[in-house]
Amino acid sequence: MLVVEKLVKLYQVGGGLSRRRWLHAADGVDLTIREGETLGLVGESGSGKSTVGRCVLRLEEPTSGRISLGNTSVTDASGEELRRLRSRMQMVYQDPLDSLNPRMSIGAQVAEPIWLTGWAAGKHKIILTLVDKDGKIVDNGGFNATVREITITK
């Protein structure tokens, strides 16, 4: 179970001491996601959805609040413990193309989290096959293609 309690993320905006202001990107967020549940965080552009996700994963440090996954404090985790916790959490963006790096091959982007988490230890080959909406194989060489070289339709 993921529990987020009173999560706050502030960003300093403006210059100099006299013009310093604080932007409240997340202000007192509480949420609980039980095992097997999925949470869709919905809001206007700039409302803090990605900031909350990045703070939960500790890709950004929260200003205050508590985050725990199971009986483990994500808030206090560091190093290897934090990497293990991150392997059990995931953000999925509304537009998946925004998540892809146009400079990396698709295969490298798919494989990277598998290799980083050690999930594929001992497995030397990962095959990426692109299929159409009916499941027919379109491209068996997609591993080395970049986002610019393929067409993704919605």
Side-chain angles (χ1 to χ4, degrees):
M1 176 166 41
L2 175 72
V3 178
V4 177
E5 300 172 295
K6 297 176 178 46
L7 178 71
V8 173
K9 178 61 181 177
L10 302 176
Y11 293 102
Q12 183 177 329
V13 294
L17 294 174
S18 62
R19 295 184 186 172
R20 187 180 334 181
R21 295 183 335 222
W22 295 98
L23 172 69
H24 293 252
D27 195 7
V29 175
D30 291 310
L31 60 92
T32 301
I33 306 172
R34 290 174 182 76
E35 182 122 3
E37 290 183 337
T38 302
L39 172 72
L41 201 52
V42 179
E44 293 180 20
S45 178
S47 64
K49 304 175 298 292
S50 293
T51 299
V52 168
R54 293 180 62 76
C55 286
V56 168
L57 289 167
R58 291 271 312 284
L59 298 172
E60 290 192 33
E61 290 300 318
T63 304
S64 64
R66 301 283 312 155
I67 305 160
S68 60
L69 183 62
N71 294 324
T72 306
S73 171
V74 177
T75 310
D76 299 326
S78 63
E80 186 60 36
E81 182 181 30
L82 185 55
R83 278 188 286 284
R84 279 194 300 275
L85 288 168
R86 284 181 181 148
S87 74
R88 298 173 52 202
M89 300 182 282
Q90 179 181 14
M91 281 178 42
V92 178
Y93 294 94
Q94 183 175 355
D95 185 352
L97 289 179
D98 288 343
S99 303
L100 297 174
N101 182 339
R103 291 181 209 96
M104 289 177 68
S105 73
I106 294 170
Q109 291 178 74
V110 169
E112 185 176 42
I114 295 168
W115 290 323
L116 288 175
T117 60
W119 185 81
K123 297 177 178 80
H124 300 290
K125 187 173 183 181
I126 296 175
I127 299 171
L128 175 68
T129 302
L130 301 178
V131 296
D132 67 14
K133 64 180 178 179
D134 299 317
K136 183 178 129 196
I137 294 176
V138 175
D139 178 14
N140 239 354
F143 193 86
N144 293 316
T146 64
V147 177
R148 294 180 188 137
E149 296 171 330
I150 66 166
T151 302
I152 299 176
T153 58
K154 294 182 180 180

